[in-house]
Amino acid sequence: MHRPRSPGHAGRVRILVTGGAGFIGRPTVDRLVADGHDVTVLDLVRPAPRAGEASPGARLVVGDVRDEDTLVPAVRGADVVVHLAAKVGLGVDLDDIVDYVSTNDLGTATVLRAARRAGVGRVVLASSMVVYGEGAYDCPEHGRVAPGPRRPADLEAGVFDPRCPRCDAVLAPAVVTEDAPLDPRNVYAATKVHGEHLLRAWARETSGGAFALRFHNVYGPGMPRDTPYAGVASLFRSALAAGRAPRVFEDGAQRRDFVHVDDVAQAVVAATRTDAGPGLVVPLNVGSGAVTTVGGLAQALADALDGPAPVVTGEFRIGDVRHVTASSDLAEQVLGWSAQIGLRSGLATC
């Protein structure tokens, strides 16, 4: 067994950030460099807003995390690995499955093997709230229950909230905590769950410590645009920039937690300097703590950009979940972190 090095708690730490030139990676690296750390960025550097080069003060290695000829030298000597590189979004259809699995599952496995061989003692993994599938729900008769997939007939009829699996009553949404069962509902979600399982295998094998940060709906400057793989905030922003009304699926009442990218970057930085414990993986929700509907977000963006009012379409996608909002209290307890940027002030930065 390769015993990991402990990065300690203070001083200059050597950190590899995969995906460090991207949407979440760039502000994360900016903060790590500002804190005086020795940062290497490994990124494909695909064209994107705020991407294209590493933050000043960081060393940029251009390459794919699956390419060990590039990855192994980049991770050598690192105390901490922050693994942000991934293919994100729901995707278009099942034809995307191979790319998602290769990029996310094989990519994570390759990073973790290189980290073990290099004796890295701490890993911070970008996970996602999609690992939960549907969020937490309460039935008026049976209390907290786990709903199954929504019925196509209900969706066609405009009944968008899931039903109780025991009595068929329409359920009320609640907030989900990190001990909730994992229930991925699409390919991207499945890769994120598998990534967490791979991370646990790494921690057990090496006695290293790790955090799996379950990001909620991240928005802010630099978010990807004009792509079906972007998040809903990005898609609404792209429509408004083109003078089009945002198109809101279902009835717009879907509940989400939209968290600003700068707050997310601060959570990642906090995780790099916090001990998870030897052989442990600590999953943490990273959200704003505020519940916002998808329709409410679309309207807030339209107001902020003085654009056309959203159009609620009633359309739906089978792979979508209805409500998923979570408590981020554990992240505050473990990392000393909480989101600081409110939605309206955050949208002004987009």
Side-chain angles (χ1 to χ4, degrees), residues 5 13-18 38-42 59 61 67-81 110-111 113-121:
R5 295 183 302 272
V13 175
R14 294 166 295 184
I15 303 173
L16 172 67
V17 183
T18 72
D38 181 351
V39 183
T40 297
V41 169
L42 175 59
R59 180 171 71 98
V61 177
D67 177 9
E68 290 188 298
D69 289 341
T70 303
L71 172 64
V72 170
V75 76
R76 189 177 295 126
D79 302 301
V80 181
V81 169
T110 307
V111 167
R113 180 166 70 175
R116 180 187 69 84
R117 291 177 173 177
V120 172

Side-chain angles (χ1 to χ4, degrees), residues 52-98:
E53 59 181 20
S55 303
R59 180 171 71 98
L60 173 64
V61 177
V62 178
D64 192 311
V65 295
R66 294 167 291 183
D67 177 9
E68 290 188 298
D69 289 341
T70 303
L71 172 64
V72 170
V75 76
R76 189 177 295 126
D79 302 301
V80 181
V81 169
V82 176
H83 183 37
L84 303 178
K87 184 177 178 67
V88 301
L90 181 61
V92 176
D93 55 38
L94 201 60
D95 282 346
D96 288 329
I97 189 170
V98 173

Side-chain angles (χ1 to χ4, degrees), residues 276-293:
L280 297 179
V281 174
V282 180
L284 295 173
N285 292 325
V286 175
S288 70
V291 174
T292 303
T293 66

Side-chain angles (χ1 to χ4, degrees), residues 212-233:
L213 301 184
R214 294 172 178 169
F215 300 151
H216 282 251
N217 296 78
V218 186
Y219 74 97
M223 59 187 176
R225 301 180 186 176
D226 303 314
T227 166
Y229 303 97
V232 65

Side-chain angles (χ1 to χ4, degrees), residues 163-242:
R163 295 182 181 273
C164 176
R166 297 174 63 183
C167 69
D168 216 37
V170 173
L171 297 172
V175 294
V176 66
T177 52
E178 288 85 353
D179 58 354
L182 305 186
D183 184 20
R185 299 289 178 96
N186 55 60
V187 171
Y188 170 62
T191 67
K192 284 299 179 180
V193 170
H194 190 217
E196 290 196 18
H197 289 324
L198 294 174
L199 186 62
R200 288 187 176 90
W202 171 87
R204 286 192 297 268
E205 170 87 11
T206 66
S207 297
F211 290 98
L213 301 184
R214 294 172 178 169
F215 300 151
H216 282 251
N217 296 78
V218 186
Y219 74 97
M223 59 187 176
R225 301 180 186 176
D226 303 314
T227 166
Y229 303 97
V232 65
S234 301
L235 296 175
F236 291 164
R237 176 66 176 81
S238 295
L240 289 162

